[in-house]
Amino acid sequence: MSKVTIKDCGALGVIKDLSVHELPPGAWTDASNVRFLDGYAQQFYGHGQVYNSPAYAPQYLMPCNVAGARYWMYATATKQFVVTNTGGVTTHTDITHVTARAGVVNQWSGFVFFGVPVLNVGDTSKIPMYWDQNLTHKFVDLTAWPAGVYCKALRQYKNFMIALNVTAAGTSFPHRMRWSHPADPGSLPSSWDVTDATKDAGEFDVGDDQGPIIDGLGLKNSFIVYKESSTYAEDYVGGAFIMNSRKVFGMSGIMNLGCAVEFDAFHFVVTGSDIVIHDGYTATSVLDKRARRFFFQDIDVASKGLVHCSKNPFLNEIFVNYPSIGATSCNKALVYNVVDKTVSFRTLPNVNHMAYGPVDNTLGGTYDADSDPVDSDLTAYNGPDFTPDVARVMMGSADVKLFMLDASASFDGVAPVAYMERRGLSFDQPERIKLVTSIWPRLTGNVGSTVTIKVGSAPDPYADPTYTTMTYTIGDLKADCFVAGRYIAVWIGSGTAYQWRLDSYDLFIEDGGEF
C-alpha cells in the first residue's frame, strides 16, 4: 500500500478551462462557496443582514460620514436614504431629491468629494446631485452644473470632477470627457464652463475608435478612461491643455460601469472577453488558462449589464459579481485573491451592488446581529466577527435587504452548500488501476460536526466519476472506502459543519494492475 499526499489544498484554486487529467494534484476542477487563502481551502465566511430591512431594494451603496458618525447611503429605484446604527437602534433617513431620480441597477455612479456625497443617475434627464450631510436636508442639484448637460458616469480625479459619455443640448457625445474647474479643498467645483478662459474646466473627445466611453477611475497620478474596447490615460498637465490624453490599450476596454477597481496602484478590470490587471502601461490576464472561458459562458447574456466589481481588502480579494445563466440579478461571484492569485466562486443573495467602506463598529460582534445557530457558531459570545477591520463589504440585495459580507459562518442564517471537487487524478500512471482504501483529511472546524467526503473513479478523464459517499466527523483521522479505477476523483463538501478548512489530505492506494 502506498500513501499519496496532496499538500497545499488552496494554493492553486479552481482551474476550469484546462483538461482535468493534466492539472497539478493540488488544483480543483470545480468549487462553490470555498475560499482559497494562504494555501488552504475553507468554506467562505457568510453574510448577515444589517440595518434591518430597508423599505426599497438598494441599487447603489456608498459610505459617508455625518458629524463623525459612520453612515451608509443607498439609492433605490426612486429614493435615496442614509442609514446608521446608534445604541442598537437602526435609523433610515430619507434624503431623496425633490425631483426623484428613476434609477436602474448598475447605472448609478458616485463618490465622496472632500466629504460630500455626490451621485449621478446616468440618464439624459437628471443632472448629478449632492447631499450636504445634514440629516434634515435632501439631495440637491450639483452646483455650477451646466444647463442641458448630462452624463452616463461621473467620477473624481484629484480635485476635479469628470463627466463621461456626455449629452449636451439634446445631442449625444459618447466619446466626450468633460471636467470641472478644480475645487478648493472642502468645496464643490465652482465652474464647468468650458468657454471661460479664466477657468480650467474643459472637454475633448477621447480616442479615435467607435466605442463609447463606459467608465473611468483614478490610477496613481492619472485618470483612466475605459471605452468598450480601448483604454486611455488622462494626465493633468496644466497650462493651455490642462489634460493630456494617451492610449494605453487599443484592444482592451471594460464590460460595464463599475467593472474596475483600484488596489495597490493597479486596476483590476473586467473587459468584454477577459479579466486583467494593469498599471497604466502593461496588462496581465488573471483568468487565462484558469477560468476565462467558463466565466464568460456562465454569465446570463440578457443580464450581463449587471456585472460589477468590488474589493475585499482584508482578505486580499476582488469580487466580480454576475448573474449566472437564467438569473436576473447577481447570484454568483468570481472571487480573485490578488496575493495568492487563486480563483474561486461564491453564491450571492441576489446582489444589486456591492461596496467597501467603514461601518459602525456596533454592527459586528453583537449577540443580536449574529445569525449563526449557537451550536455551530465559531465566534466568541458577543465577540468580534471574522474580519475585524473597521471597513467592510456591504451588499444591497434585490430581495430588499442590506447584508454585510464575512460577518458570520452562515449565509443569512442558513448553512451554505459548499464543496470542491477534483477529477482526473492518475498520479502519472493513467494505465494502472488504483484501489483507494481510505482518505485522511487534515480538516478543521467544530469538532463533532460533519463534512461529506466522496471518493470516486472513472475509466477515462472525460467521464463522470462514480462516487462512494462517506460522512466524515471533524476530529476523526480518516474515512474508509473501497474505490477502484484509472482516474480518481475527490469531492469534499457540506455536512452539518457551518465552517471548515482543509489543509491537505492523504489517499491510501493499492496497485490494481494494468488491466
Side-chain angles (χ1 to χ4, degrees):
M1 179 182 295
S2 63
K3 179 179 74 171
V4 177
T5 299
I6 309 297
K7 297 182 178 179
D8 301 323
C9 282
L12 298 175
V14 174
I15 301 177
K16 282 182 166 287
D17 285 352
L18 302 181
S19 295
V20 298
H21 59 286
E22 295 184 347
L23 298 178
W28 298 91
T29 54
D30 192 16
S32 179
N33 293 323
V34 173
R35 169 180 272 145
F36 301 103
L37 177 69
D38 298 334
Y40 307 126
Q42 64 186 73
Q43 179 202 301
F44 265 101
Y45 299 144
H47 57 268
Q49 292 185 52
V50 291
Y51 297 128
N52 300 331
S53 296
Y56 303 85
Q59 293 185 346
Y60 186 82
L61 305 174
M62 189 164 62
C64 58
N65 192 291
V66 179
R70 296 175 183 141
Y71 280 72
W72 275 81
M73 186 278 294
Y74 62 95
T76 73
T78 56
K79 293 178 176 291
Q80 297 81 48
F81 298 85
V82 287
V83 59
T84 193
N85 186 289
T86 304
V89 177
T90 295
T91 303
H92 296 257
T93 303
D94 189 333
I95 55 170
T96 304
H97 194 291
V98 66
T99 305
R101 269 62 173 163
V104 177
V105 175
N106 213 26
Q107 180 178 285
W108 297 91
S109 56
F111 48 86
V112 177
F113 191 80
F114 296 122
V116 178
V118 179
L119 196 60
N120 181 58
V121 74
D123 63 18
T124 56
S125 63
K126 300 293 187 297
I127 71 172
M129 56 186 181
Y130 78 98
W131 180 56
D132 68 1
Q133 303 160 283
N134 186 320
L135 293 172
T136 64
H137 294 172
K138 310 287 188 181
F139 268 107
V140 295
D141 289 348
L142 188 62
T143 57
W145 184 262
V149 174
Y150 310 95
C151 63
K152 293 290 187 181
L154 186 70
R155 298 300 187 189
Q156 179 180 2
Y157 168 57
K158 298 181 181 293
N159 54 343
F160 295 90
M161 290 188 191
I162 295 183
L164 301 168
N165 196 326
V166 172
T167 295
T171 301
S172 174
F173 299 94
H175 313 287
R176 186 151 299 177
M177 163 181 158
R178 184 167 185 161
W179 60 89
S180 70
H181 183 71
D184 294 328
S187 64
L188 297 172
S190 61
S191 175
W192 287 80
D193 187 352
V194 299
T195 66
D196 188 345
T198 67
K199 305 296 183 182
D200 281 347
E203 64 180 358
F204 52 57
D205 286 353
V206 176
D208 54 4
D209 59 326
Q210 297 301 308
I213 295 176
I214 304 298
D215 204 354
L217 188 66
L219 176 61
K220 292 179 282 191
N221 204 40
S222 300
F223 182 79
I224 307 299
V225 174
Y226 292 102
K227 306 184 78 175
E228 278 188 339
S229 56
S230 58
T231 302
Y232 293 80
E234 316 301 333
D235 299 303
Y236 174 71
V237 294
F241 296 101
I242 306 172
M243 298 283 183
N244 177 65
S245 184
R246 59 181 172 87
K247 180 181 284 190
V248 178
F249 308 118
M251 297 184 65
S252 178
I254 197 170
M255 177 184 284
N256 295 322
L257 184 74
C259 276
V261 294
E262 185 275 335
F263 75 97
D264 296 338
F266 291 89
H267 275 188
F268 178 100
V269 187
V270 182
T271 76
S273 60
D274 202 354
I275 296 178
V276 301
I277 290 175
H278 75 86
D279 59 359
Y281 295 92
T282 304
T284 302
S285 171
V286 304
L287 285 191
D288 196 36
K289 295 181 175 56
R290 291 173 181 265
R292 183 169 66 90
R293 289 188 295 276
F294 172 83
F295 170 68
F296 284 95
Q297 292 168 358
D298 198 36
I299 298 172
D300 186 86
V301 174
S303 300
K304 68 177 183 178
L306 303 178
V307 178
H308 64 280
C309 300
S310 181
K311 57 187 175 183
N312 186 13
F314 182 80
L315 293 165
N316 305 318
E317 292 171 339
I318 296 176
F319 277 58
V320 182
N321 307 316
Y322 70 97
S324 63
I325 295 173
T328 55
S329 57
C330 293
N331 64 334
K332 200 170 179 179
L334 180 150
V335 183
Y336 182 72
N337 188 297
V338 298
V339 174
D340 294 333
K341 296 178 172 54
T342 54
V343 171
S344 56
F345 293 87
R346 188 194 194 278
T347 57
L348 296 177
N350 297 318
V351 167
N352 284 336
H353 189 239
M354 181 184 288
Y356 168 80
V359 299
D360 191 294
N361 56 18
T362 63
L363 288 182
T366 64
Y367 181 79
D368 291 337
D370 197 337
S371 59
D372 295 338
V374 173
D375 59 355
S376 61
D377 198 341
L378 302 184
T379 54
Y381 175 81
N382 220 32
D385 281 335
F386 296 97
T387 54
D389 204 348
V390 294
R392 304 289 289 274
V393 177
M394 298 288 293
M395 302 184 290
S397 171
D399 299 332
V400 198
K401 295 177 181 178
L402 288 163
F403 293 105
M404 186 160 65
L405 190 68
D406 296 326
S408 67
S410 70
F411 283 32
D412 194 21
V414 177
V417 177
Y419 69 87
M420 50 193 174
E421 181 182 38
R422 171 58 201 263
R423 298 186 178 193
L425 289 166
S426 69
F427 310 110
D428 296 325
Q429 293 183 314
E431 73 282 0
R432 306 192 73 81
I433 299 295
K434 293 87 177 168
L435 303 176
V436 182
T437 59
S438 63
I439 180 171
W440 295 57
R442 260 75 69 188
L443 200 152
T444 62
N446 276 340
V447 175
S449 296
T450 63
V451 172
T452 300
I453 297 180
K454 302 177 186 180
V455 178
S457 66
D460 65 74
Y462 309 107
D464 290 335
T466 300
Y467 276 113
T468 295
T469 301
M470 299 155 283
T471 298
Y472 172 80
T473 301
I474 296 175
D476 288 350
L477 290 177
K478 63 174 180 171
D480 291 321
C481 59
F482 187 85
V483 173
R486 286 187 173 85
Y487 291 89
I488 302 302
V490 176
W491 188 101
I492 300 174
S494 299
T496 63
Y498 267 62
Q499 186 67 212
W500 47 269
R501 189 188 80 186
L502 178 69
D503 299 350
S504 60
Y505 65 92
D506 297 328
L507 292 172
F508 279 82
I509 302 174
E510 294 184 0
D511 185 7
E514 292 189 14
F515 59 88

Short mmCIF file of all heavy atoms in Angstrom, two decimals, residues 36-37 68 156 280 506 513:
data_model
loop_
_atom_site.label_atom_id
_atom_site.label_comp_id
_atom_site.label_asym_id
_atom_site.label_seq_id
_atom_site.Cartn_x
_atom_site.Cartn_y
_atom_site.Cartn_z
N PHE A 36 -10.02 30.06 -1.32
CA PHE A 36 -8.64 29.57 -1.36
C PHE A 36 -7.73 30.69 -0.88
O PHE A 36 -7.50 31.67 -1.58
CB PHE A 36 -8.29 29.11 -2.77
CG PHE A 36 -9.20 28.01 -3.26
CD1 PHE A 36 -10.22 28.27 -4.15
CD2 PHE A 36 -9.05 26.72 -2.77
CE1 PHE A 36 -11.07 27.26 -4.58
CE2 PHE A 36 -9.89 25.70 -3.20
CZ PHE A 36 -10.90 25.97 -4.10
N LEU A 37 -7.20 30.51 0.33
CA LEU A 37 -6.49 31.58 1.02
C LEU A 37 -5.33 31.00 1.80
O LEU A 37 -5.49 30.02 2.53
CB LEU A 37 -7.47 32.30 1.97
CG LEU A 37 -6.92 33.41 2.84
CD1 LEU A 37 -6.54 34.62 2.00
CD2 LEU A 37 -7.95 33.82 3.90
N GLY A 68 -19.04 62.88 12.31
CA GLY A 68 -18.19 61.89 12.96
C GLY A 68 -18.79 60.51 13.07
O GLY A 68 -18.11 59.57 13.50
N GLN A 156 -14.38 61.17 -9.86
CA GLN A 156 -13.46 62.15 -9.27
C GLN A 156 -12.04 61.84 -9.71
O GLN A 156 -11.62 60.68 -9.79
CB GLN A 156 -13.54 62.11 -7.75
CG GLN A 156 -12.59 63.09 -7.06
CD GLN A 156 -12.69 63.05 -5.54
OE1 GLN A 156 -13.44 62.26 -4.98
NE2 GLN A 156 -11.93 63.90 -4.88
N GLY A 280 -1.44 50.85 -15.89
CA GLY A 280 -1.49 52.02 -16.77
C GLY A 280 -0.60 51.88 -17.98
O GLY A 280 -0.62 52.74 -18.87
N ASP A 506 -4.40 12.80 2.57
CA ASP A 506 -3.69 11.62 2.07
C ASP A 506 -4.71 10.65 1.48
O ASP A 506 -5.82 10.49 2.00
CB ASP A 506 -2.95 10.89 3.20
CG ASP A 506 -1.86 11.73 3.84
OD1 ASP A 506 -1.27 12.57 3.12
OD2 ASP A 506 -1.62 11.56 5.04
N GLY A 513 -3.02 -3.13 -10.93
CA GLY A 513 -2.53 -3.66 -12.19
C GLY A 513 -2.93 -2.82 -13.39
O GLY A 513 -3.53 -1.76 -13.26
#
